Amino acid sequence: MRSLALVAAAWLAACHGAAAQTAPIFVLNSLDANVSIIDPANWKEVRRLPTGKEPHHLYLTPDEKSLIVANSLSDSLTFIDPKSGDVQRVVHGTLDPYQLQFSPDMKWFVTAGNRLNHVDIYRWDGSNLQLAARVPTGKTPSHIWIDSRSTTAFVSMQDSDEMVAIDLPTQVLKWRVKTGPSPADIYGTPDDRTLLVGLTGGDGIEVFDISGPQPRSVRRIKTGDGAHAFRSAGDKRHVFLSNRVANTISKLDLQTLQVVDNYPAPGGPDCIDVFAGGKVLMVTSRWSRKLTVIDTEAHKVIRQVPVGKSPHGVWTLDHAPR
């Protein structure tokens, strides 16, 4: 059997010839208020970039020109160059940004105010944010998904076990629906007809049909305790899901809505990114202060990189399509 080091080396050679990835890897350390910047050539942390207080999520803009950190307790956003790791600018006055997302057309920017129970919708002119509306929601808005047409934002309500839909052009609440316990991340299928909701208070995913005027809960898929965060596998058919309590990652087929594979992910797996080629993924191990790298073909952890306290988001430019 090949050693884990040889597995990693073979994967790097297959995907990038003799060279390793060139873009840095960014890991958000929520309780340290900084970002670990990791050199993928040697998997060493080269520096830490200070952010605002209690940053919780990272988001790479659709044009891939900026990596944005949401600093919830500092009411600010830190824009980082995803190639160099340098701070581009800090935007102040965004109230309690916990989770964040641009619409695909980059006309709208949405933040979830986790502590303050609201969703903020901003207009984006290419360089500046202008608040269009602050929408009161249920208790503890958590994660956001925006449809491919850039018309609707779907947001989970972690502590009131709900999901809401907000019309972006009018900033009006379209509907509200009950979910299973502690809904977290949301993932929409490419046809915009189905939403998957990770139930962190349960052991799997709740599936909603949103093709009609009102959403319908149509099934639940068991994945593992603490189902939490999604990431596309990059092949337009599969999606990964972290199961934080079960210490696993599940792979789902979006056509059959079935679990087709599972991988070990120790330390409380949270946010995921996938390298180009889709064969190796990275996940933040929230409780063990590490970035875990998994070979999906070998079904093995091939390395763990020490980072800061409560690592949350992870991103790199060398990623599979989203």
Side-chain angles (χ1 to χ4, degrees), residues 16 130 188:
H16 297 278
Q130 179 183 4

Side-chain angles (χ1 to χ4, degrees), residues 124-172:
W124 173 257
D125 64 6
S127 58
N128 298 300
L129 295 171
Q130 179 183 4
L131 183 63
R134 178 160 292 146
V135 182
T137 62
K139 197 172 180 182
T140 321
S142 181
H143 286 67
I144 305 163
W145 176 265
I146 300 176
D147 68 347
S148 65
R149 297 168 295 172
S150 300
T151 61
T152 307
F154 304 92
V155 188
S156 59
M157 302 293 127
Q158 179 179 315
D159 291 328
S160 57
D161 298 341
E162 297 173 300
M163 177 172 57
V164 302
I166 303 170
D167 183 77
L168 292 177
T170 64
Q171 299 94 54
V172 171

Side-chain angles (χ1 to χ4, degrees), residues 60-311:
L60 188 67
T61 57
D63 62 7
E64 300 197 341
K65 293 181 179 179
S66 297
L67 183 67
I68 308 177
V69 177
N71 307 306
S72 59
L73 286 186
S74 289
D75 296 339
S76 67
L77 304 169
T78 302
F79 284 67
I80 300 170
D81 185 323
K83 294 181 180 179
S84 68
D86 296 331
V87 173
Q88 296 169 326
R89 59 176 169 150
V90 178
V91 176
H92 297 279
T94 52
L95 189 61
D96 186 28
Y98 172 77
Q99 228 263 355
L100 67 168
Q101 194 169 127
F102 266 104
S103 60
D105 63 7
M106 290 195 70
K107 292 182 179 179
W108 302 100
F109 181 71
V110 182
T111 63
N114 190 259
R115 290 180 297 109
L116 301 180
N117 300 332
H118 67 248
V119 168
D120 282 352
I121 301 173
Y122 295 86
R123 291 186 177 89
W124 173 257
D125 64 6
S127 58
N128 298 300
L129 295 171
Q130 179 183 4
L131 183 63
R134 178 160 292 146
V135 182
T137 62
K139 197 172 180 182
T140 321
S142 181
H143 286 67
I144 305 163
W145 176 265
I146 300 176
D147 68 347
S148 65
R149 297 168 295 172
S150 300
T151 61
T152 307
F154 304 92
V155 188
S156 59
M157 302 293 127
Q158 179 179 315
D159 291 328
S160 57
D161 298 341
E162 297 173 300
M163 177 172 57
V164 302
I166 303 170
D167 183 77
L168 292 177
T170 64
Q171 299 94 54
V172 171
L173 194 71
K174 295 170 63 174
W175 48 252
R176 180 186 303 272
V177 65
K178 293 296 292 183
T179 70
S182 299
D185 205 7
I186 304 172
Y187 189 89
T189 55
D191 60 8
D192 289 326
R193 297 177 63 87
T194 305
L195 289 179
L196 310 179
V197 181
L199 301 177
T200 303
D203 62 359
I205 298 165
E206 188 164 7
V207 181
F208 287 87
D209 181 344
I210 57 167
S211 61
Q214 293 294 318
R216 294 187 303 114
S217 177
V218 294
R219 65 184 295 185
R220 292 199 184 183
I221 305 169
K222 187 173 182 179
T223 60
D225 290 344
H228 190 70
F230 294 99
R231 174 57 164 93
S232 168
D235 60 2
K236 299 183 179 180
R237 177 163 180 173
H238 297 94
V239 65
F240 295 109
L241 172 74
S242 59
N243 303 302
R244 187 187 288 175
V245 178
N247 288 317
T248 61
I249 292 175
S250 298
K251 184 178 183 180
L252 291 98
D253 187 318
L254 293 176
Q255 294 181 10
T256 64
L257 293 180
Q258 293 181 335
V259 175
V260 295
D261 220 336
N262 286 286
Y263 314 97
D270 202 310
C271 295
I272 304 168
D273 205 6
V274 181
F275 282 121
K279 297 178 181 179
V280 173
L281 59 82
M282 299 179 292
V283 59
T284 48
S285 294
R286 192 77 181 269
W287 314 134
S288 62
R289 303 186 187 184
K290 293 177 182 177
L291 174 68
T292 298
V293 186
I294 299 169
D295 184 314
T296 60
E297 291 188 327
H299 291 78
K300 292 181 178 179
V301 173
I302 55 177
R303 69 176 69 244
Q304 288 189 300
V305 183
V307 288
K309 295 178 183 177
S310 192

